[in-house]
Amino acid sequence: MSLLSRRELLDTATRIMALAAWPGCAAADDYPSRPIRLVIPYTAGAAGDQIGRPWAERITSLLGPIYVENIGGAGGAIGSAAVAQSAPDGYSLLLGNGSTQVMIPLSSAQPAYDTVRDFRAVYRLITSTLAFAVHPSLPVKDLRELAAFAKANPGRLSYGTPGVGTGNHLIGEMFRQQSGVAADLVHVPYRGMGPATNDLVSGQISSVIAVVSSQILQLHHAGKLRLIAVTSDRRLSGAPDIPTVIESGMPGLRYAGWFGLFAPRATPDVIVERIAAATRTAMADPWLQENYRSQGLEPDVDSGPDKFQRLVEDELARLAPIVKSIGLKRD
């Protein structure tokens, strides 16, 4: 063997050893060997916490320590981008939803990430619905009355969402167009639904479009805000007095939301499958199911990486022409 070929062999061996030492190629049998970070891309106290934190609490006995990090801003784009740029080793997960994984990439002129290129779906945790909520002082009980009041008081009414380009914003813009109040209802974007809801309760804004959560339902029952419509096909079991958008004469506003787990795209299959399998076990727990259902959410007990990935890609294809048609732009 020549000196040159020996050097080539040594270089090749060195590269292989370095590659094997990289976290993404580490033996999956050791996963997880340290705490896993779950990024919730919203401010603390919003609906993301009420979905992600119960999962983290239950999954600890199956995967080991999980710590939650709230990274809010830009409707969820900042926290999502942080996970997209993380090492693909299974130690950084995103609690994403239709806004972060579908609406933001579709409505941004220069998105900070590409859902298909930068993420892989792991498991859909829950399906959810959005709700139109108004301040109790507003003399409206349904969407028709909200539209009539907006037309009679141009520029006086506003609606808050967790950011431009979110699913909440999409529904708001569709309502404005379909009800003919495009010039009469002002959009106010926030860094998360927590601040938006606080401003609604204090009377700083007229309404919000929010994910239904235990907090929203409690505020409704306490009379601190009034829910006037939900975007689901059926009325909520936890609040059967609230009509659906179909009953309100606006079936085009139907919207089924969801929250689920995502990992950086290059995360090894075996690690993704391990997280998904542990999550499937956790989702079979009656405690976790009841936790979600008490908030008006429906737990998904039969999700998985391939099934969830198809759902996300189908949503991207379905909503792209709608976002374009209404001219929804984040920047």
Side-chain angles (χ1 to χ4, degrees):
M1 184 179 293
S2 69
L3 181 61
L4 179 59
S5 63
R6 286 173 181 166
R7 286 177 177 169
E8 290 174 340
L9 181 61
L10 181 60
D11 289 344
T12 300
T14 300
R15 286 195 297 270
I16 291 173
M17 291 173 65
L19 183 61
W22 186 56
C25 297
D29 289 343
D30 295 334
Y31 178 86
S33 60
R34 54 188 170 88
I36 298 169
R37 175 180 70 151
L38 175 67
V39 171
I40 296 178
Y42 300 104
T43 52
D49 273 14
Q50 298 172 45
I51 296 164
R53 290 182 183 273
W55 171 83
E57 180 179 343
R58 178 60 186 87
I59 207 74
T60 294
S61 64
L62 301 169
L63 286 180
I66 307 282
Y67 69 95
V68 174
E69 184 175 357
N70 291 91
I71 305 179
I78 294 176
S80 300
V83 175
Q85 296 162 10
S86 298
D89 54 11
Y91 291 100
S92 286
L93 301 176
L94 172 71
L95 181 70
N97 59 20
S99 290
T100 62
Q101 307 309 109
V102 178
M103 292 304 306
I104 288 175
L106 289 179
S107 61
S108 299
Q110 295 181 318
Y113 54 87
D114 181 286
T115 298
V116 177
R117 181 195 65 209
D118 297 328
F119 289 99
R120 60 182 306 176
V122 179
Y123 197 102
R124 184 176 71 169
L125 297 179
I126 59 91
T127 56
S128 63
T129 185
L130 297 176
F132 287 77
V134 301
H135 190 268
S137 65
L138 211 62
V140 301
K141 297 186 296 296
D142 55 40
L143 290 182
R144 294 186 185 91
E145 293 184 359
L146 179 63
F149 190 87
K151 290 176 183 178
N153 299 271
R156 177 180 166 185
L157 297 187
S158 56
Y159 76 96
T161 72
V164 175
T166 59
N168 314 58
H169 185 204
L170 172 67
I171 294 301
E173 293 304 296
M174 292 174 67
F175 170 71
R176 284 175 40 157
Q177 289 205 356
Q178 294 181 25
S179 63
V181 298
D184 306 319
L185 189 61
V186 179
H187 176 228
V188 182
Y190 285 80
R191 288 178 60 87
M193 276 316 305
T197 302
N198 289 339
D199 276 3
L200 174 62
V201 171
S202 66
Q204 300 300 308
I205 56 176
S206 311
S207 63
V208 299
I209 299 175
V211 173
V212 172
S213 65
S214 59
Q215 178 197 29
I216 290 292
L217 292 176
Q218 288 168 7
L219 291 171
H220 169 73
H221 293 310
K224 295 184 177 181
L225 57 77
R226 182 185 305 124
L227 298 180
I228 60 172
V230 291
T231 63
S232 53
D233 291 335
R234 301 186 185 89
R235 294 194 179 199
L236 302 179
S237 58
D241 56 315
I242 308 166
T244 67
V245 291
I246 301 172
E247 295 173 294
S248 302
M250 305 191 74
L253 298 184
R254 286 181 298 171
Y255 183 84
W258 46 261
F259 278 79
L261 304 173
F262 292 84
R265 183 65 189 181
T267 304
D269 290 348
V270 66
I271 291 178
V272 169
E273 291 292 347
R274 184 162 296 178
I275 298 169
T279 300
R280 189 174 297 108
T281 298
M283 296 301 289
D285 187 328
W287 173 84
L288 189 57
Q289 291 185 19
E290 178 55 30
N291 185 295
Y292 288 144
R293 289 194 173 108
S294 68
Q295 302 179 57
L297 308 171
E298 185 60 33
D300 191 337
V301 298
D302 187 30
S303 183
D306 292 340
K307 185 176 182 180
F308 191 18
Q309 186 71 33
R310 286 194 300 271
L311 182 149
V312 173
E313 293 181 10
D314 287 348
E315 284 282 276
L316 285 163
R318 181 178 69 87
L319 292 178
I322 298 176
V323 170
K324 183 178 180 180
S325 70
I326 66 175
L328 190 61
K329 295 293 182 183
R330 286 175 50 82
D331 43 37

